[in-house]
Amino acid sequence: MKQYRVKLGVKLSLKQYDPDETGEYKKSAQGKNRAKAETAKLIAKLDGLQERLYANATRSLLIVLQGMDTSGKDGTIKGVMSGVNPQGCKVVAFKAPSDHELGHDFLWRVHREVPRRGQIGIFNRSHYEDVLITRVHGWVSDKVAKRRFNQIKEFEELLTENGTAILKFFLHISKDEQKERLQARIADPEKRWKWSSGDLEERKLWDDYQKAFEDVISATSTICAPWYIVPANRKWYRNLVVADRVVNALEDMKLKTPPAPEGVDFAKLKIV
Amino acid sequence: MKQYRVKLGVKLSLKQYDPDETGEYKKSAQGKNRAKAETAKLIAKLDGLQERLYANATRSLLIVLQGMDTSGKDGTIKGVMSGVNPQGCKVVAFKAPSDHELGHDFLWRVHREVPRRGQIGIFNRSHYEDVLITRVHGWVSDKVAKRRFNQIKEFEELLTENGTAILKFFLHISKDEQKERLQARIADPEKRWKWSSGDLEERKLWDDYQKAFEDVISATSTICAPWYIVPANRKWYRNLVVADRVVNALEDMKLKTPPAPEGVDFAKLKIV
């Protein structure tokens, strides 16, 4: 799944990534079932890896999820992380900043929420909104946005140098797929509570958003905090790609069972 | 499982609760499997209930886990809550307070961590430590401890009056069971990292702790924030009891699918 990693130093073009692609899995019930079985295996692995991460409490993992409305940020969390022990997993959904938060620089509220050592932290939206929605609507100038690209890079470097691995996922859906998903929300009375008329307004800005994503992803793809463009039209393939990368990142840490406390003679210990 | 709910206005005697009991389930492989199947069904229910809690974002659930060392607080979280979408679930493990936290009243750091509307919050240890370890070691006087009982009651009342349901579980193990669990930590090199010599010191104070638990549980059992004495010698029965109570508390909220936003004519909506 490494293939979805954004290359460094090249301007990203989202058009070159097919949101419908499913890799070696056929777009059929059979392909879907194979992918789901593979994902289940990865999730089972995740369980043990997360336990080790938590036990050692020396490293942490930060997962950033971004994408257009309906791209499946919530669904990815549910689909990939629902088996994980919630004690070692912290999800933060960033909404519009409060007045209190706006009284600080844009990374302030984000820094407070990064995972502690031993934790997997998941950002459902993130500091990237501060160069996406803000930029598309012209709330910040291009000059400020570009300065923020650098600030983000340096912030993420700080985190990785201090033991946090970072994975950033752009959940890539097509404009048609978004249309279908929004229409499903309208058609099903059980789903209508999810409806927000703002989504329609944002959809009109589709091209601007794609461009803003291309800009910031190009500028903030680094070795230590890579971006992945995840084909997300098929939920089952999206989950497989994300699960694969999360397992890979944890395996890369090569964590072992933590050492026993020093100075204890276990052979002589007696409990009465 | 209602039977494990502590009666109001009666002085609790832990001796009257059998930590080894397994209710209608036999202490055999067969009984264990039956209980596990029942727990799995409850966990499946939990998934949908939690989704509805999150969608409505009008109520929240706070679960407090207390018990002696090795009583299974971590294991309960893993066993009961691992299937839950971590986006709607927040676990807070309270350790010894920092100097910064000690600069405030004992409920300050706790209040900051209560679940927001829509969330399930789990306290792995809690404000109850401030009338348990502190009292057993004489760090606070009986007079202060008893004043805290009232402060805790009023704090929990504040939460429940504002939409938080509260469940408090005392995971009840026997002194012999603790011995076995500590010995397992010593015997298995893979588990030795969990060893803390402090645990042995605390074990010597077993009777004092049981008494301190009896005092505070008697004083803080209320209709809105009940305590349950969970038989916890058998992990599978412990998980079943907790899962049953959590599902019951969420069902009691009688939450429905949230209403669709007002003023939207869904029949006429068109997505282009």
Side-chain angles (χ1 to χ4, degrees):
Chain A
M1 301 300 180
K2 244 175 155 172
Q3 55 179 308
Y4 302 119
R5 192 168 170 151
V6 174
K7 309 232 169 348
L8 308 189
V10 189
K11 181 67 200 286
L12 172 72
S13 163
L14 283 172
K15 289 234 165 72
Q16 285 171 23
Y17 287 82
D18 180 5
D20 216 33
E21 103 142 73
T22 52
E24 52 167 298
Y25 299 85
K26 287 211 180 93
K27 293 177 183 72
S28 63
Q30 200 203 351
K32 179 176 171 176
N33 288 337
R34 259 189 66 223
K36 280 190 164 185
E38 199 52 49
T39 308
K41 269 191 232 162
L42 288 164
I43 289 174
K45 259 194 195 173
L46 191 52
D47 184 43
L49 288 163
Q50 184 269 332
E51 209 166 313
R52 194 154 282 193
L53 181 76
Y54 188 78
N56 277 278
T58 50
R59 304 288 311 275
S60 57
L61 173 64
L62 173 61
I63 298 167
V64 173
L65 292 172
Q66 289 285 166
M68 303 294 287
D69 291 329
T70 76
S71 64
K73 297 179 287 293
D74 297 287
T76 303
I77 297 171
K78 186 175 165 66
V80 177
M81 307 303 291
S82 278
V84 165
N85 185 343
Q87 181 149 254
C89 186
K90 170 178 163 164
V91 181
V92 187
F94 287 98
K95 311 282 181 187
S98 68
D99 283 351
H100 178 61
E101 289 167 343
L102 286 170
H104 298 267
D105 70 85
F106 76 104
L107 291 172
W108 179 81
R109 67 170 184 159
V110 178
H111 206 160
R112 291 164 59 111
E113 298 288 4
V114 296
R116 73 159 79 190
R117 293 189 186 96
Q119 263 184 340
I120 298 175
I122 301 164
F123 285 178
N124 184 344
R125 304 186 186 270
S126 67
H127 45 299
Y128 283 95
E129 292 298 325
D130 294 288
V131 290
L132 288 164
I133 185 168
T134 49
R135 196 174 177 211
V136 166
H137 287 273
W139 303 332
V140 299
S141 67
D142 269 15
K143 199 178 145 197
V144 169
K146 278 169 189 166
R147 210 191 293 145
R148 285 185 179 178
F149 292 174
N150 269 323
Q151 291 161 346
I152 289 173
K153 255 164 71 172
E154 279 161 24
F155 168 62
E156 292 176 353
E157 201 177 306
L158 167 79
L159 297 182
T160 52
E161 284 181 2
N162 285 279
T164 303
I166 302 181
L167 291 174
K168 300 180 291 193
F169 297 107
F170 173 71
L171 305 182
H172 187 32
I173 56 168
S174 62
K175 201 174 174 187
D176 283 345
E177 179 67 22
Q178 188 189 55
K179 188 176 178 177
E180 274 181 40
R181 292 185 186 184
L182 287 173
Q183 257 157 353
R185 261 181 213 181
I186 295 172
D188 183 351
E190 283 291 301
K191 284 185 179 172
R192 282 186 185 162
W193 65 272
K194 291 186 185 178
W195 179 262
S196 156
S197 301
D199 293 351
L200 268 192
E201 295 309 306
E202 297 304 302
R203 179 170 164 82
K204 289 180 191 156
L205 301 165
W206 181 275
D207 292 339
D208 297 333
Y209 269 106
Q210 298 284 304
K211 199 193 155 306
F213 270 115
E214 286 174 342
D215 274 9
V216 68
I217 292 174
S218 300
T220 59
S221 282
T222 60
I223 292 174
C224 60
W227 273 104
Y228 288 88
I229 310 298
V230 181
N233 273 4
R234 315 265 165 167
K235 295 169 187 171
W236 50 268
Y237 192 64
R238 172 201 76 199
N239 287 353
L240 175 61
V241 173
V242 172
D244 179 84
R245 292 295 86 196
V246 172
V247 165
N248 182 264
L250 290 171
E251 282 179 340
D252 266 359
M253 294 182 188
K254 297 188 181 25
L255 296 173
K256 303 205 173 85
T257 302
E262 282 179 42
V264 180
D265 187 349
F266 282 97
K268 278 199 187 146
L269 262 183
K270 250 217 151 137
I271 295 160
V272 286
Chain B
M1 302 299 181
K2 244 174 154 175
Q3 56 179 310
Y4 302 118
R5 191 169 173 151
V6 174
K7 307 232 168 352
L8 308 189
V10 189
K11 181 66 201 288
L12 171 72
S13 163
L14 284 171
K15 290 234 166 73
Q16 285 171 19
Y17 287 81
D18 180 6
D20 216 33
E21 103 142 72
T22 52
E24 54 168 298
Y25 299 85
K26 287 213 178 95
K27 293 177 183 73
S28 62
Q30 199 205 352
K32 180 176 171 175
N33 287 338
R34 260 188 65 222
K36 281 189 164 184
E38 199 52 47
T39 307
K41 269 191 232 164
L42 288 164
I43 289 173
K45 259 194 195 173
L46 192 51
D47 184 41
L49 288 164
Q50 185 268 332
E51 209 166 312
R52 194 153 282 194
L53 180 76
Y54 188 79
N56 278 276
T58 50
R59 303 288 310 274
S60 58
L61 174 64
L62 172 61
I63 298 167
V64 173
L65 292 172
Q66 289 285 166
M68 303 294 288
D69 290 331
T70 76
S71 62
K73 298 179 286 294
D74 296 288
T76 302
I77 296 170
K78 187 174 164 65
V80 177
M81 307 303 291
S82 277
V84 165
N85 185 342
Q87 180 147 258
C89 186
K90 170 179 166 165
V91 181
V92 187
F94 287 97
K95 312 278 182 192
S98 68
D99 282 351
H100 178 60
E101 289 167 342
L102 287 171
H104 297 267
D105 70 85
F106 76 104
L107 291 172
W108 180 81
R109 67 169 184 159
V110 177
H111 206 159
R112 290 165 61 111
E113 299 287 6
V114 297
R116 76 160 77 193
R117 292 189 187 93
Q119 262 184 342
I120 298 176
I122 301 165
F123 285 178
N124 184 344
R125 302 187 188 269
S126 66
H127 44 300
Y128 284 96
E129 292 297 326
D130 293 287
V131 290
L132 288 164
I133 186 169
T134 48
R135 195 172 178 212
V136 165
H137 287 273
W139 302 332
V140 299
S141 68
D142 269 14
K143 198 178 145 194
V144 169
K146 280 172 187 166
R147 211 191 292 145
R148 286 185 178 178
F149 291 175
N150 268 323
Q151 291 161 347
I152 288 173
K153 256 165 69 173
E154 279 161 23
F155 169 62
E156 293 176 354
E157 200 177 306
L158 168 78
L159 298 182
T160 54
E161 284 181 1
N162 285 279
T164 304
I166 303 180
L167 291 173
K168 301 180 291 193
F169 297 108
F170 173 70
L171 306 181
H172 187 33
I173 56 167
S174 62
K175 201 173 174 189
D176 282 346
E177 180 67 22
Q178 189 189 55
K179 188 176 179 177
E180 274 181 41
R181 293 185 185 184
L182 287 173
Q183 256 156 356
R185 263 181 211 182
I186 295 172
D188 183 351
E190 283 290 301
K191 284 187 181 170
R192 281 187 185 159
W193 63 273
K194 290 187 185 176
W195 179 261
S196 156
S197 300
D199 293 351
L200 267 193
E201 295 308 306
E202 296 304 302
R203 179 170 164 81
K204 288 180 192 156
L205 300 167
W206 182 274
D207 292 338
D208 296 333
Y209 269 106
Q210 297 284 305
K211 198 192 155 307
F213 270 116
E214 287 175 341
D215 273 8
V216 69
I217 291 174
S218 300
T220 58
S221 282
T222 60
I223 292 174
C224 60
W227 272 105
Y228 288 88
I229 309 300
V230 180
N233 273 5
R234 316 265 165 165
K235 295 168 186 170
W236 50 268
Y237 192 64
R238 172 200 76 199
N239 286 354
L240 175 61
V241 173
V242 172
D244 178 84
R245 292 296 82 197
V246 171
V247 165
N248 180 263
L250 290 171
E251 283 179 341
D252 265 359
M253 293 181 189
K254 298 188 179 29
L255 296 173
K256 303 202 173 86
T257 302
E262 281 179 44
V264 182
D265 188 349
F266 282 96
K268 281 198 186 146
L269 263 182
K270 249 214 152 141
I271 296 161
V272 286

